[in-house]
Amino acid sequence: MADIYDPTGQERLSGDGVVHTISFNDIENFTDPTVAWETVEGPLADGAMTVITIDGKQISGQGAFDDGTTDDIETVPGTLEVTCP
Protein backbone atom coordinates (compact mmCIF):
# COMPACT_ATOMS: atom_id res chain seq x y z
CA MET A 1 0.00 0.00 0.00
CA ALA A 2 1.21 3.48 -0.83
CA ASP A 3 -0.45 6.27 1.13
CA ILE A 4 -0.22 10.04 1.18
CA TYR A 5 -1.72 11.71 4.26
CA ASP A 6 -2.44 15.44 4.45
CA PRO A 7 -3.24 16.38 8.07
CA THR A 8 -4.90 19.63 6.90
CA GLY A 9 -7.63 17.69 5.05
CA GLN A 10 -6.91 19.56 1.81
CA GLU A 11 -5.81 16.34 0.04
CA ARG A 12 -2.43 17.80 -0.94
CA LEU A 13 0.10 15.36 -2.39
CA SER A 14 3.13 17.30 -1.12
CA GLY A 15 4.04 20.20 1.10
CA ASP A 16 4.60 20.98 4.76
CA GLY A 17 3.23 18.25 7.03
CA VAL A 18 2.24 15.84 4.23
CA VAL A 19 3.33 12.27 5.07
CA HIS A 20 4.12 9.53 2.51
CA THR A 21 4.20 5.86 3.57
CA ILE A 22 4.67 2.56 1.74
CA SER A 23 4.00 -0.89 3.17
CA PHE A 24 3.93 -4.43 1.80
CA ASN A 25 2.42 -7.01 4.14
CA ASP A 26 1.29 -10.64 4.30
CA ILE A 27 -2.49 -10.15 4.56
CA GLU A 28 -3.20 -13.86 4.99
CA ASN A 29 -1.34 -14.12 8.31
CA PHE A 30 -1.14 -10.92 10.37
CA THR A 31 0.01 -12.73 13.53
CA ASP A 32 3.01 -14.46 11.91
CA PRO A 33 3.63 -12.74 8.57
CA THR A 34 6.10 -14.03 5.99
CA VAL A 35 6.41 -10.51 4.51
CA ALA A 36 6.15 -7.22 6.41
CA TRP A 37 8.01 -4.26 4.90
CA GLU A 38 7.22 -0.66 5.88
CA THR A 39 9.00 2.62 5.27
CA VAL A 40 10.61 4.44 8.17
CA GLU A 41 11.86 8.01 8.27
CA GLY A 42 14.05 10.42 10.16
CA PRO A 43 16.75 9.17 12.52
CA LEU A 44 15.83 5.50 11.97
CA ALA A 45 16.53 5.92 8.25
CA ASP A 46 19.61 8.17 8.46
CA GLY A 47 17.39 11.15 7.65
CA ALA A 48 15.81 9.55 4.56
CA MET A 49 12.23 10.51 3.72
CA THR A 50 9.67 8.44 1.82
CA VAL A 51 8.70 10.00 -1.51
CA ILE A 52 5.70 8.91 -3.62
CA THR A 53 5.19 10.32 -7.13
CA ILE A 54 1.97 10.02 -9.13
CA ASP A 55 2.04 10.57 -12.90
CA GLY A 56 -1.28 9.58 -14.46
CA LYS A 57 -1.57 5.81 -13.95
CA GLN A 58 2.08 5.46 -12.92
CA ILE A 59 2.95 5.48 -9.22
CA SER A 60 6.52 5.28 -7.99
CA GLY A 61 7.97 5.51 -4.54
CA GLN A 62 11.23 5.23 -2.71
CA GLY A 63 12.30 5.12 0.88
CA ALA A 64 14.07 3.23 3.63
CA PHE A 65 12.22 0.03 4.55
CA ASP A 66 12.23 -1.97 7.78
CA ASP A 67 11.62 -5.74 7.76
CA GLY A 68 8.80 -6.14 10.30
CA THR A 69 9.34 -9.90 10.54
CA THR A 70 12.36 -9.26 12.78
CA ASP A 71 12.58 -7.51 16.14
CA ASP A 72 15.50 -5.35 14.97
CA ILE A 73 15.04 -2.08 13.11
CA GLU A 74 17.18 -2.45 10.02
CA THR A 75 16.66 -0.08 7.13
CA VAL A 76 17.04 -1.18 3.53
CA PRO A 77 16.67 1.24 0.62
CA GLY A 78 13.84 0.24 -1.70
CA THR A 79 11.52 1.35 -4.47
CA LEU A 80 7.93 0.76 -5.54
CA GLU A 81 6.77 0.89 -9.18
CA VAL A 82 3.05 0.47 -9.97
CA THR A 83 0.93 0.88 -13.10
CA CYS A 84 -2.79 1.22 -12.39
CA PRO A 85 -5.30 -0.24 -14.84
Side-chain angles (χ1 to χ4, degrees):
M1 173 173 57
D3 188 37
I4 301 174
Y5 172 69
D6 179 7
T8 68
Q10 298 174 7
E11 299 184 15
R12 298 174 301 152
L13 299 179
S14 62
D16 190 37
V18 174
V19 177
H20 294 198
T21 59
I22 302 170
S23 62
F24 182 73
N25 296 291
D26 179 356
I27 61 170
E28 292 185 9
N29 188 352
F30 284 114
T31 58
D32 188 22
T34 57
V35 176
W37 290 96
E38 186 168 346
T39 53
V40 294
E41 296 188 354
L44 294 176
D46 293 328
M49 301 296 286
T50 303
V51 177
I52 298 172
T53 304
I54 302 171
D55 182 13
K57 293 184 176 186
Q58 304 293 322
I59 300 172
S60 61
Q62 64 183 24
F65 289 80
D66 174 52
D67 182 355
T69 63
T70 69
D71 291 334
D72 298 328
I73 296 177
E74 303 168 321
T75 56
V76 177
T79 61
L80 169 75
E81 299 290 332
V82 177
T83 301
C84 297

